[in-house]
Amino acid sequence: MEKIALRIKNKESGIIALSTILLLGAVIMETAIVGSLLVFAFNNINYGVRLSAGALAAAKAGLADATIKLIRDKNLSVVPFYSLGVGDWIAKITVCRNSRTLADPCDTADSGKTEITSLGQAFNRSRRLRAIYNVSGVTGETTLIAVTELSS
């Protein structure tokens, strides 16, 4: 009789231990899943910020390249649209000279000005900078009027 009662007691404690282990396992798995999702979200945010900064750097490099070309050649005999590779990123530069249009990318309201628009792209992020210059036709002096960041 004592052996039968002892066996029943051991079965009950085994069932309790099984349910406890399953409950603790579920809590641990849930914590691991939430932790993984938080790490994933944090990495995506940091990656997006890094790509956006890269796109801005590419746009600045494109603007600087076009500015150098403008200073070297006051008539700016370059093609009005060209691309520039900046490491893994790309800058698409548009140069508008003496144009009075209201269409993108040449939307300066002042004729006689030179407008340079640089679109920097890094994977799926893009940043756009626009600079407006006044170039003297006589002396070739180049004066920066404004640099603005535009919404892409």
Side-chain angles (χ1 to χ4, degrees):
M1 235 3 183
E2 289 179 23
K3 285 187 173 184
I4 294 174
L6 187 59
R7 284 185 193 163
I8 292 173
K9 191 173 185 183
N10 284 341
K11 285 183 179 180
E12 288 174 2
S13 64
I15 291 172
I16 292 172
L18 177 64
S19 62
T20 304
I21 290 171
L22 289 175
L23 183 64
L24 287 175
V27 169
I28 291 169
M29 286 297 291
E30 201 171 285
T31 305
I33 290 170
V34 168
S36 296
L37 289 175
L38 287 175
V39 167
F40 177 74
F42 183 69
N43 282 340
N44 278 347
I45 289 169
N46 284 339
Y47 188 62
V49 169
R50 191 172 73 218
L51 285 177
S52 182
L56 182 61
K60 285 181 179 179
L63 199 62
D65 182 71
T67 301
I68 290 170
K69 289 181 180 187
L70 178 65
I71 290 171
R72 288 183 179 168
D73 180 13
K74 69 177 181 174
N75 295 324
L76 201 62
S77 56
V78 297
V79 184
F81 176 79
Y82 67 98
S83 295
L84 176 70
V86 183
D88 293 336
W89 311 309
I90 192 165
K92 296 179 181 177
I93 298 109
T94 306
V95 180
C96 301
R97 181 164 172 78
N98 293 330
S99 59
R100 184 180 171 97
T101 62
L102 296 177
D104 191 46
C106 299
D107 64 351
T108 181
D110 299 324
S111 62
K113 307 288 186 212
T114 300
E115 179 181 295
I116 300 171
T117 304
S118 177
L119 174 66
Q121 293 179 323
F123 191 53
N124 62 347
R125 300 281 196 255
S126 63
R127 302 281 288 270
R128 185 186 307 250
L129 294 176
R130 177 168 293 150
I132 299 176
Y133 292 92
N134 187 15
V135 181
S136 172
V138 178
T139 64
E141 179 183 6
T142 304
T143 307
L144 176 64
I145 296 173
V147 175
T148 56
E149 184 173 359
L150 307 171
S151 60
S152 294

